[in-house]
Amino acid sequence: MLTSREIRLKSRPVGMPSAENFELAAVSVPDPAPGEVQVKNLWMTVDPYMRGRMNDARSYVPPFQLGEALQGGAVGEVVASADPALKAGDLVQSFFGWREAFNAPAAAVQKLETHGLPPEAFLGYAGMPGLTAYVGLLRIAELKDGDVVFVSGAAGAVGSVACQIAKIKGHTVIGSAGGPEKVKFLRDIGVDHPIDYKAEADLTGAVMRAAPNGIDVYFENVGGAHMEAALMAANQGARFALCGMISDYNSTDMGAGVRGLFLAIAKSLTLKGFIVSNHADMQAAFARDLADWVAAGKMQARETVKHGIESAPDAFLGLFKGENLGKMLVKLA
Ligand code: NDP
């Protein structure tokens, strides 16, 4: 009998979450029943969307339940199997994050073929965040030759891949992120005009200086003042891929709001929101392109790693304080 520690939702956050909203608990994990596998997680991810699941509200994913382990992406190793589809030593991907180990039906986990990438890459640039960047730019924003691209949250998991895809495809890229270390990272990955929005009293002015002829695509991760800057800098017919608006996720009302939305009319803008899970049909093309880009040394990844299941709430809270450069991950084993 294995003991696994897990993080449970103790109370629903109101506004900015805190450590008190989470609790660490230990459970026993028996031998797997027929048809099940037993998995020890190696890595788990924390993602901004999880904040929405902490509210008791109807959304595209159901809310987390109080007193139960949270859920989210994880990669782990099969340590015991009672199903012929998987054997001990296999790497698997699952949605049973926020815990050290678990039993699950073999069909509820996915065998992970890493193709030479580190397993944790599949929680970041080679996984959901990478696919989000790909879908947002290529399908939602319909990136085309000559577009000037503005990416907010540019030094994060999704944003840093979006910037690199746009650069690979030959575009001028403006990226905004908070702080000098993130700006340096943006330079390292080829962003033409990195903006430290925390050091800019006038973000709109900074974006307009970086793109004197305007922007054609805006990849939205942040909301608020970033959206306003994009509306002001947008060219006629610009396309906005609305991926996330993290600056509003801890609002207790409708959020800070966006001024200048009327510009969407005069400039005939397309503002299109999307959820990556509705675009799974692009996964195969993404995997092929990514493999080529990695092989050609065109895709750089950064990770911010916390250690141990007990650090998972802290890792999650860190997303809202800008503590991560690249993907925020928790290493469990
Ligand atoms: P990140 O790795 O970008 O981490 C979050 C970052 O957001 C922080 O590091 C911080 O960067 C920035 N941030 C946090 N709070 C604020 C704030 N109040 N104002 C401005 N910036 C803030 O996260 P992801 O890459 O995983 O996600 C990026 C966005 O994409 C999120 O909005 C997320 O919800 C969304 N998303 C949407 C998906 C979809 O299907 N539509 C799928 C995946 C993600 P900094 O220091 O630069 O401020």
Side-chain angles (χ1 to χ4, degrees), residues 16 45-50 60 123 128-133 152-160 176-179 182 195-198 219-223 226 242-250 273-279 317-328:
M16 180 68 123
T45 171
V46 289
D47 299 281
Y49 79 87
M50 293 169 174
Y60 65 96
L123 300 174
M128 182 278 279
L131 179 63
T132 302
S152 59
V158 174
S160 61
S176 79
K182 294 191 180 188
I195 295 174
D196 176 358
Y197 76 91
K198 288 187 177 167
F219 195 107
E220 168 69 301
N221 284 316
V222 169
H226 278 86
L242 305 185
C243 173
M245 293 195 180
I246 193 167
S247 67
D248 281 336
Y249 292 176
N250 293 312
F274 71 103
I275 294 295
V276 63
S277 51
N278 294 333
H279 299 273
L317 300 175
L319 293 172
F320 299 96
K321 303 179 204 154
E323 287 176 359
N324 59 305
L325 183 57
K327 180 75 191 101
M328 183 72 100

Side-chain angles (χ1 to χ4, degrees), residues 7-319:
I7 301 291
R8 296 177 179 169
L9 187 64
K10 190 175 169 194
S11 55
R12 298 201 183 278
V14 178
M16 180 68 123
S18 70
E20 286 70 50
N21 298 125
F22 304 91
E23 65 185 343
L24 183 65
V27 292
S28 297
V29 183
D31 290 340
E36 285 187 342
V37 284
Q38 186 169 89
V39 177
K40 265 194 184 173
N41 277 333
L42 303 173
W43 295 88
M44 59 162 272
T45 171
V46 289
D47 299 281
Y49 79 87
M50 293 169 174
R51 176 64 187 85
R53 294 194 69 186
M54 291 172 189
N55 298 333
D56 191 12
R58 214 167 67 169
S59 185
Y60 65 96
V61 269
F64 291 131
Q65 296 303 305
L66 289 177
E68 289 185 10
L70 297 164
Q71 296 159 357
V75 291
E77 184 180 334
V78 174
V79 289
S81 178
D83 188 280
L86 291 164
K87 59 179 189 315
D90 284 345
L91 285 177
V92 291
Q93 218 171 346
S94 81
F95 220 59
F96 296 101
W98 294 91
R99 69 205 75 190
E100 292 176 313
F102 63 91
N103 287 346
V109 303
Q110 257 184 311
K111 190 166 174 178
L112 181 63
E113 304 290 355
T114 62
H115 302 290
L117 296 179
E120 65 274 21
F122 293 86
L123 300 174
Y125 67 98
M128 182 278 279
L131 179 63
T132 302
Y134 189 85
V135 167
L137 275 183
L138 302 188
R139 175 173 282 170
I140 307 300
E142 299 181 31
L143 196 63
K144 54 178 191 281
D145 287 353
D147 282 341
V148 173
V149 180
F150 173 35
V151 180
S152 59
V158 174
S160 61
V161 178
C163 289
Q164 292 181 84
I165 293 176
K167 282 314 300 173
I168 288 166
K169 295 197 170 281
H171 298 270
T172 298
V173 177
I174 299 147
S176 79
E181 195 193 356
K182 294 191 180 188
V183 161
K184 182 184 176 308
F185 170 55
L186 294 183
R187 265 197 205 100
D188 292 347
I189 60 173
V191 170
D192 302 280
H193 303 284
I195 295 174
D196 176 358
Y197 76 91
K198 288 187 177 167
E200 287 289 349
D202 172 17
L203 179 60
T204 298
V207 174
M208 292 180 77
R209 279 193 302 280
N213 296 320
I215 62 165
D216 306 295
V217 164
Y218 176 46
F219 195 107
E220 168 69 301
N221 284 316
V222 169
H226 278 86
M227 180 66 159
E228 293 180 8
L231 285 165
M232 284 294 286
N235 287 329
Q236 282 289 327
R239 289 92 63 210
F240 286 26
L242 305 185
C243 173
M245 293 195 180
I246 193 167
S247 67
D248 281 336
Y249 292 176
N250 293 312
S251 301
T252 49
D253 51 21
M254 290 287 280
V258 174
R259 295 170 305 162
L261 193 53
F262 63 91
L263 291 167
I265 303 161
K267 296 184 180 190
S268 299
L269 305 182
T270 302
L271 275 59
K272 194 168 179 187
F274 71 103
I275 294 295
V276 63
S277 51
N278 294 333
H279 299 273
D281 60 300
M282 290 188 85
Q283 171 62 42
F286 167 64
R288 275 195 306 275
D289 281 344
L290 185 78
D292 290 347
W293 297 334
V294 169
K298 291 180 177 168
M299 186 58 66
Q300 290 187 49
R302 284 286 186 86
E303 281 140 9
T304 300
V305 179
K306 308 263 179 184
H307 294 266
I309 188 71
E310 61 279 10
S311 72
D314 192 39
F316 173 72
L317 300 175
L319 293 172

